[in-house]
Amino acid sequence: MAERISRALLPDNTSVADDGMATFGGVRTDDLVTQFGTPLFVYDEDHIRKRCQEAVKAFPDGVSYASKAFLCKAIAKLVHEEGMGLDVATIGEAYIALQSGVPASDLTLHGNNKSMEELRYAVDNGIGKVVIDSFDEIDKIEHLYATTRKPIKALVRVTPGVEAYTHKYVTTGQVDSKFGFTVQNGQAGKAIERAKSSGAIDLIGLHAHIGSQIFTSDSFRKSTDILVNLAEHFGLPELCVGGGLGVPYLNDESSISISEWGRIVHDISNSSSATLKITSEPGRSIVASSAVTIYTVGTIKEIEGVRTYVAVDGGMHDNPRPALYGSDYETFLARSINEPREQKITLVGKHCESGDVLVKEGDIQDDLVVGDLLVTPVTGAYGHSMGSNYNKVLRPAVVFVQGGKSRLVLRREELSDLLNSDVA
Ligand code: LLP
């Protein structure tokens, strides 16, 4: 018999109403849909707060939320209330964080190809730290300093040469990477020396991010070990270990927790003679499983002996991860969350291409009909944030739920939004 959806994949405050309907944060799925429509992202606010609290405890020297995972003013405010800074990778992410009221001093600017405009924005607004990624960036910072005379507080991003066991598009720590300065060929050492001797840079430490969706502790151990030695060698006080902690997306997956990750990293730094400030910047592990996406089933196409396509009103515009990385998801019916899923389906979206698949081989309750509300869990990270307007589809709304109440944080786009930048 096909399994029920695993509770471990659902937001913490998910329950089942007497009639079998899934409720999130105490709000029934059908009520959410009546109010906000579908497709709809639903985030469990207390779930996010709990993960933030776990991260702050696991990394007491400081932890930033990697805002690329999911960013709007509400989440920026929430993570900051919980004691986290924000990692921003572009001027756009920085702008939203600042608009939410997060002080610039709590932001860290990333990017392998920061523009002059982005660096100037960082200096003008007093962004707390910049993570330097290339020699050309050092040139740019020095050029900027000639007019601003304000040194930038910075970390140097190093590439420790560690292969992380994950999808090749999201590994970043190996030697062959566009990010950072390679340790093995001496580039990292050269960059550190140059940054240390530059009047434009106040170098406070090192940074490394070896990849995303990492399940095992080995790669984190190896990378931290290399970083700790390097920081010790150059007498730098701070080490940011990046993000990358994996989360389960499927019933049979598991990963280490944020607390375990913190312990692994601290065990290694504690074994060194230097006293280092250890910080991190998790994204996925804070928000991924806090959210679900709710869709309405529009049409079902059964091809006898081949497969059953179930098409919903969303698709690669709200979750491009299956199309980009071949990522898998689970799926279930909102009205019978606790029931076994006996039918095999392929869940697809409404775009004009065959690659618009949301779940390639999904299990679903076998009484599925057109009009049903179908849910995909673990969609809180890199779904909405990587979404698009492909086919001029309107981006979905996002609601936060907590204690039986829902609040809209991003409204569904309207047709007129599609012409916002159309100046013809
Ligand atoms: N720090 C840096 C410098 C990063 O580049 C990233 C993610 C993070 C922290 C946060 O990593 P996390 O804890 O979320 O794994 N779109 C891909 C993931 C790309 C990750 C990019 N960088 C996906 O959907 O799997």
Side-chain angles (χ1 to χ4, degrees):
M1 191 172 71
E3 285 174 333
R4 294 171 175 81
I5 187 77
S6 160
R7 299 304 293 232
L9 300 180
L10 299 171
D12 289 350
N13 302 292
T14 302
S15 53
V16 190
D18 290 344
D19 61 356
M21 179 65 73
T23 73
F24 301 105
V27 191
R28 289 175 60 93
T29 312
D30 47 357
D31 289 345
L32 286 166
V33 169
T34 303
Q35 200 175 350
F36 304 107
T38 58
L40 182 67
F41 282 91
V42 181
Y43 280 79
D44 174 346
E45 195 166 329
D46 287 337
H47 178 122
I48 307 173
R49 288 190 187 278
K50 244 174 92 181
R51 297 307 178 281
C52 292
Q53 288 155 14
E54 187 183 349
V56 167
K57 213 166 147 202
F59 292 92
D61 293 335
V63 49
S64 291
Y65 166 65
S67 67
K68 68 204 81 184
F70 168 61
L71 182 60
C72 62
K73 289 194 289 181
I75 185 86
K77 234 188 251 173
L78 186 160
V79 298
H80 192 256
E81 277 167 17
E82 293 297 339
M84 293 169 84
L86 267 84
D87 143 11
V88 291
T90 61
I91 197 169
E93 289 180 353
Y95 173 73
I96 292 179
L98 291 177
Q99 288 293 311
S100 78
V102 173
S105 54
D106 290 335
L107 303 185
T108 302
L109 180 65
H110 276 278
N112 70 307
N113 181 21
K114 300 176 192 76
S115 66
M116 210 57 196
E117 185 198 5
E118 284 173 321
L119 289 168
R120 189 170 292 116
Y121 187 84
V123 175
D124 289 350
N125 286 283
I127 283 184
K129 291 177 212 164
V130 170
V131 179
I132 298 175
D133 213 285
S134 69
F135 289 110
D136 293 315
E137 186 178 339
I138 299 180
D139 291 343
K140 282 184 195 165
I141 292 172
E142 287 182 335
H143 184 73
L144 193 61
Y145 179 71
T147 50
T148 65
R149 308 308 292 175
K150 284 189 204 158
I152 282 179
K153 205 191 251 189
L155 304 174
V156 160
R157 177 163 180 172
V158 303
T159 313
V162 172
E163 302 270 350
Y165 172 68
T166 180
H167 191 286
K168 70 175 186 306
Y169 293 170
V170 290
T171 62
T172 50
Q174 75 281 14
V175 170
D176 182 3
S177 165
K178 73 167 180 168
F179 298 102
F181 300 95
T182 309
V183 175
Q184 280 82 353
N185 65 8
Q187 296 290 295
K190 281 197 185 113
I192 295 166
E193 293 292 11
R194 198 175 149 199
K196 271 178 109 171
S197 63
S198 169
I201 297 166
D202 172 14
L203 186 68
I204 56 163
L206 301 179
H207 173 282
H209 170 79
I210 55 169
S212 198
Q213 186 59 356
I214 300 168
F215 277 154
T216 55
S217 45
D218 238 36
S219 330
F220 289 124
R221 264 199 200 97
K222 281 189 200 144
S223 148
T224 310
D225 199 38
I226 293 169
L227 280 166
V228 166
N229 286 327
L230 209 60
E232 211 175 334
H233 178 78
F234 286 98
L236 294 168
E238 183 171 333
L239 202 63
C240 178
V241 297
L245 181 64
V247 304
Y249 282 83
L250 302 176
N251 268 15
D252 59 2
E253 289 179 338
S254 64
S255 181
I256 58 170
S257 66
I258 297 173
S259 313
E260 284 165 307
W261 176 39
R263 262 195 300 278
I264 289 164
V265 169
H266 282 94
D267 279 353
I268 293 190
S269 82
N270 290 340
S271 64
S272 121
S273 53
T275 309
L276 292 170
K277 183 175 167 188
I278 302 286
T279 63
S280 71
E281 46 195 26
R284 190 191 314 265
S285 53
I286 300 294
V287 287
S289 59
S290 73
V292 298
T293 310
I294 304 168
Y295 301 103
T296 301
V297 174
T299 168
I300 301 172
K301 174 181 177 179
E302 197 181 335
I303 310 174
E304 214 37 76
V306 180
R307 71 174 72 239
T308 300
Y309 283 101
V310 174
V312 289
D313 49 358
M316 63 200 293
H317 70 272
D318 62 69
N319 187 3
R321 298 190 71 254
L324 277 175
Y325 315 123
S327 309
D328 285 323
Y329 287 81
E330 298 280 353
T331 179
F332 63 90
L333 284 187
R335 65 177 158 81
S336 47
I337 178 172
N338 258 353
E339 300 304 317
R341 300 164 303 157
E342 280 150 344
Q343 194 184 167
K344 281 264 176 246
I345 58 155
T346 295
L347 187 70
V348 295
K350 60 185 278 114
H351 291 277
C352 306
E353 55 180 284
S354 303
D356 176 27
V357 171
L358 287 166
V359 183
K360 207 167 168 200
E361 303 280 341
D363 298 313
I364 196 94
Q365 287 78 7
D366 65 2
D367 57 344
L368 166 83
V369 290
V370 167
D372 260 330
L373 298 177
L374 188 149
V375 185
T376 52
V378 204
T379 54
Y382 304 111
H384 195 279
S385 73
M386 291 207 301
S388 72
N389 283 122
Y390 181 38
N391 285 143
K392 297 298 176 218
V393 167
L394 304 173
R395 289 172 203 250
V398 178
V399 294
F400 278 18
V401 289
Q402 183 184 43
K405 294 206 173 78
S406 58
R407 65 182 171 116
L408 187 64
V409 300
L410 286 173
R411 67 158 169 80
R412 183 175 309 285
E413 284 182 343
E414 295 163 0
L415 286 175
S416 60
D417 290 322
L418 297 175
L419 290 173
N420 269 345
S421 55
D422 191 324
V423 293

